[in-house]
Amino acid sequence: MKRIALITGITGQDGAYLSELLLSKGYEVHGIVRRSSTDSFERIAHLREKLRLHQADLHDQLSLVNIIRDVAPREVYNLAAQSFVPTSWGQPLLTGDVTALGVTRVLEAIRFVDPTIRFYQASSSEMFGKVVESPQRESTPFWPRSPYGVSKVYGHWITVNYRESYGMFACSGILFNHESPLRGKEFVTRKVTDAVARIKLGVQEKLKLGNLDARRDWGFAGDYVRAMWLMLQQPEPDDYVVAMGEMHSVRDLVETAFGHVGLDYTKHVETDPTLLRPAEVNELCGDATKARAKLGWQPEVRFPQLVAMMVDADVERVRREIEFQKL
Ligand code: NAP
Ligand code: G4F
């Protein structure tokens, strides 16, 4: 039987890596894209011929019902969200509508069309927020620190609730920060690697950052989408933490990224108090013992390789952009 998957948020970082993974496994891959005046298909441009894209929006219940009915997927991966934490203070209602209630809309569409469809929810380590124990595991209580984190807690529990209420195969993957050359430039890793490339190639001088002491458990997006797929292949639905289990500060990140191209970060990085958050998540470190044991999940890319991969990709891209402008 043809394996058919539907991905919401297919144009995002994880959507692109998950599409590649599912295509490589022989899936027919469908994606939901929202209408906008300019398209946002850059990350999946190289896959466009192989993907089937449909217009819908997590705000719009009927659009989700229609697509799930027409596509008849066996697996739905809900990756769509307003995913940038600072924006969630500026747009808390939109964030709640998409990142929290949007999950219920997808679950309701599945329940209405075919409750046997397997469902993955993109939950987040931001739910642990002001951490009450370290490292964080599946049983660690949540203490979210932003409207984004609060919305993800709702998304997590509604997923658990549909599993318990209706017996649906609904899984919540509690993923810690994962990055790649496809990461949005507003997130700190990519903001740093893009700036390193531009400074190295002489088109930027300074980089302004917020809290350099914040610590995160950073992994590679390509490794993390494998865990999403593995969750939906198990005999029973469950929730899993996916993480590397080691923390680095933003300062470590900056030092490693600038050091990779032979630059001293102290000459280029400035702190800007306007980039501090109203409530910070100071540290996150995950315990992925359950994912390793039950899913057999193993990450392949560690922090120094990840940073080097992102810096190299940005140097290459900025070099091409400079050459193109000179033509
Ligand atoms: P991302 O790059 O920001 O992608 C978000 C996706 O959601 C984009 O495709 C975006 O479409 C889509 N989207 C936003 N609002 C929508 C709406 N109203 N209707 C339909 N689609 C909408 O995020 P990511 O890094 O790939 O993360 C994927 C998911 O994992 C997100 O839910 C995120 O919160 C969660 N997560 C991420 C991490 C991480 O470290 N990356 C960790 C834990 C959890 P456009 O292209 O049109 O904007
Ligand atoms: O890269 P960030 O913006 O990621 P954050 O807030 O941890 O959220 C990301 O990971 C979550 C998983 O835990 C996802 F759920 C979420 O969708 C998103 O993908 O910030 C990381 C840290 C923060 O502590 C922030 O205060 O870096 C610090 N930081 C310091 N200067 C900065 C900056 N972050 C950004 N974005 N920009 C700065 O200039």
Side-chain angles (χ1 to χ4, degrees):
M1 202 166 75
K2 184 81 182 160
R3 298 212 277 182
I4 303 176
L6 176 68
I7 304 174
T8 75
I10 196 166
T11 54
Q13 170 190 255
D14 290 5
Y17 281 100
L18 182 63
S19 295
E20 272 183 18
L21 178 77
L22 296 179
L23 287 169
S24 75
K25 292 184 181 297
Y27 278 73
E28 181 178 304
V29 180
H30 296 254
I32 283 177
V33 294
R34 52 183 175 160
R35 194 267 157 188
S36 83
S37 63
T38 53
D39 75 33
S40 58
F41 303 151
E42 203 181 313
R43 295 185 179 101
I44 50 169
H46 60 300
L47 304 172
R48 272 303 283 282
E49 308 253 298
K50 297 178 189 151
L51 298 174
R52 300 168 198 215
L53 302 181
H54 311 266
Q55 249 183 39
D57 198 298
L58 249 62
H59 293 289
D60 191 285
Q61 181 71 71
L62 202 55
S63 67
L64 299 169
V65 170
N66 284 335
I67 284 171
I68 291 176
R69 188 198 54 217
D70 294 350
V71 168
R74 294 312 309 145
E75 298 171 13
V76 171
Y77 296 85
N78 183 39
L79 310 185
Q82 190 303 96
S83 73
F84 190 47
V85 172
T87 296
S88 76
W89 279 285
Q91 300 176 18
L93 297 179
L94 178 138
T95 302
D97 202 3
V98 180
T99 307
L101 281 181
V103 186
T104 312
R105 291 191 192 102
V106 179
L107 283 163
E108 276 292 274
I110 292 174
R111 190 169 77 86
F112 182 71
V113 174
D114 176 1
T116 69
I117 294 169
R118 295 186 170 205
F119 174 77
Y120 172 84
Q121 166 57 14
S123 292
S124 166
S125 52
E126 276 288 306
M127 301 191 301
F128 297 122
K130 191 169 177 180
V131 298
V132 300
E133 66 176 355
S134 207
Q136 297 85 53
R137 59 194 118 212
E138 292 77 8
S139 57
T140 302
F142 300 137
W143 189 335
R145 296 275 281 169
S146 62
Y148 169 82
V150 173
S151 301
K152 283 290 180 185
V153 171
Y154 174 93
H156 169 80
W157 283 119
I158 201 71
T159 300
V160 174
N161 180 259
Y162 271 54
R163 186 167 75 219
E164 293 177 352
S165 303
Y166 305 117
M168 285 168 59
F169 196 108
C171 301
S172 171
I174 307 175
L175 272 51
F176 283 61
N177 299 52
H178 45 278
E179 319 293 316
S180 75
L182 299 185
R183 186 61 141 148
K185 282 189 200 157
E186 67 274 40
F187 298 95
V188 75
T189 50
R190 186 76 198 291
K191 182 174 174 181
V192 168
T193 62
D194 177 59
V196 165
R198 296 173 62 79
I199 291 169
K200 181 69 183 172
L201 297 173
V203 291
Q204 185 173 328
E205 271 182 31
K206 299 287 181 195
L207 168 63
K208 289 188 178 181
L209 292 172
N211 181 7
L212 297 183
D213 296 319
R215 293 192 293 166
R216 288 289 182 280
D217 180 337
W218 278 296
F220 172 50
D223 284 336
Y224 284 41
V225 298
R226 270 203 320 280
M228 298 176 185
W229 176 76
L230 283 166
M231 285 178 217
L232 295 201
Q233 313 314 310
Q234 302 309 304
E236 298 296 333
D238 207 344
D239 309 319
Y240 298 87
V241 159
V242 178
M244 301 299 288
E246 62 179 52
M247 273 191 293
H248 297 272
S249 65
V250 174
R251 189 176 279 98
D252 293 339
L253 162 72
V254 165
E255 194 170 1
T256 308
F258 277 83
H260 183 65
V261 294
L263 292 174
D264 174 0
Y265 83 92
T266 61
K267 297 200 168 79
H268 301 282
V269 172
E270 293 173 352
T271 50
D272 177 350
T274 66
L275 294 171
L276 298 176
R277 299 177 178 188
E280 176 64 292
V281 171
N282 291 319
E283 58 171 69
L284 290 171
C285 184
D287 176 356
T289 303
K290 180 175 168 185
R292 286 174 187 267
K294 292 203 166 173
L295 304 177
W297 177 75
Q298 287 288 352
E300 286 168 9
V301 179
R302 303 194 74 81
F303 178 76
Q305 291 162 271
L306 172 65
V307 176
M309 176 205 299
M310 292 177 68
V311 171
D312 290 344
D314 275 323
V315 168
E316 189 50 40
R317 181 187 51 82
V318 174
R319 201 190 299 281
R320 273 200 313 272
E321 283 173 9
I322 293 169
E323 277 168 11
F324 180 69
Q325 279 163 17
K326 278 186 187 155
L327 283 178

